[in-house]
Amino acid sequence: MQLEELLRRANQKLTVPGMHPSVVRIARDVIQELYPHGIKLGIAQSFRSIAEQNALYAKGRTTQGPIVTQARGGQSNHNFGVAIDVFLYEDGALFLSPPDARLRRIVAAMKRRGMDWGGDWSRFPDYPHFELYDHVSLARHHVPKPGHYLRERIQAPELVRAIEKRLGLMVTGIFDIRLTRAIQAFQQTSRLAVDGIVGPQTWRRLFPVSP
């Protein structure tokens, strides 16, 4: 299969409403990087609606088939357009698992671009899964509390990196004037008070609990 056809097929999964543009760009870049090495990467899953997620969760529970996910609707990062599942085109669709060297190369390429790998999860490793950030956890467990709002010069690198990824910025983990201005622009577009500070309202717009 030629690279152009790989990208065409990937775009069918990636260019759907709700997908984060950074995830789309990263997926395309990785496909192009790996192709000369004989790795023909495909996109199995991208954005998934709440209804689709609930149907997937039902497998092995209330419908036939094996259990394939621990996440109900709204509990998967696929529901927020920041996650993809990948496979190889090889005699059909091949889903890799360790210690396959091709998987190591895929993981390295994704991580260099800021993606997290589901294979690193201790409880339920998901080897085909990559995500830009953990939207579900950020939305549910990290809403800033009074006295801990995020603003310029605040030291909270993990949360700052998540905000940078959400806004499609270069990821530094530093809350600087560049990020302040990006947040102000986001606040203006979202019709929030424009102060460049990430309090509960801005956070919930950045990381809503439901799609």
Side-chain angles (χ1 to χ4, degrees), residues 168-183:
L169 303 174
M170 180 182 295
V171 178
T172 66
I174 300 171
F175 204 130
D176 54 13
I177 186 62
R178 168 195 59 105
L179 182 54
T180 297
R181 288 171 177 163
I183 290 168

Side-chain angles (χ1 to χ4, degrees), residues 6-187:
L6 276 182
L7 290 170
R8 186 191 70 80
R9 294 188 183 191
N11 284 335
Q12 291 178 336
K13 292 287 188 178
L14 295 170
T15 55
V16 295
M19 280 301 294
H20 193 295
S22 293
V23 177
V24 175
R25 173 181 51 78
I26 289 168
R28 289 171 176 162
D29 287 350
V30 171
I31 290 170
Q32 293 180 82
E33 176 185 327
L34 297 179
Y35 184 79
H37 301 281
I39 298 175
K40 298 177 181 179
L41 195 66
I43 307 298
Q45 292 283 321
S46 56
F47 176 81
R48 195 183 293 146
S49 70
I50 297 296
E52 290 169 334
Q53 186 68 39
N54 283 329
L56 202 61
Y57 181 81
K59 285 188 176 182
R61 295 181 173 90
T62 58
T63 62
Q64 291 185 342
I67 291 177
V68 294
T69 182
Q70 301 297 313
R72 299 175 186 267
Q75 297 176 347
S76 168
N77 286 314
H78 284 285
N79 305 149
F80 299 92
V82 296
I84 54 173
D85 295 340
V86 303
F87 68 95
L88 287 191
Y89 285 101
E90 185 175 294
D91 297 326
L94 175 64
F95 290 90
L96 299 176
S97 59
D100 196 299
R102 293 168 297 180
L103 179 58
R104 290 199 300 270
R105 191 182 285 270
I106 294 167
V107 171
M110 290 288 189
K111 286 188 173 184
R112 280 201 311 274
R113 292 167 171 84
M115 296 289 275
D116 297 324
W117 180 40
D120 289 329
W121 299 343
S122 57
R123 291 188 59 190
F124 192 73
D126 190 352
Y127 301 121
H129 182 92
F130 295 89
E131 59 189 38
L132 188 61
Y133 53 82
D134 189 350
H135 184 111
V136 173
S137 177
L138 291 164
R140 295 174 184 271
H141 305 300
H142 295 282
V143 179
K145 295 179 173 58
H148 298 278
Y149 293 173
L150 300 172
R151 65 184 74 202
E152 202 168 332
R153 298 190 180 90
I154 284 290
Q155 299 297 315
E158 289 301 321
L159 298 182
V160 170
R161 278 193 282 268
I163 295 170
E164 290 173 317
K165 288 182 177 184
R166 167 65 177 82
L167 295 176
L169 303 174
M170 180 182 295
V171 178
T172 66
I174 300 171
F175 204 130
D176 54 13
I177 186 62
R178 168 195 59 105
L179 182 54
T180 297
R181 288 171 177 163
I183 290 168
Q184 288 172 333
F186 175 82
Q187 289 170 327

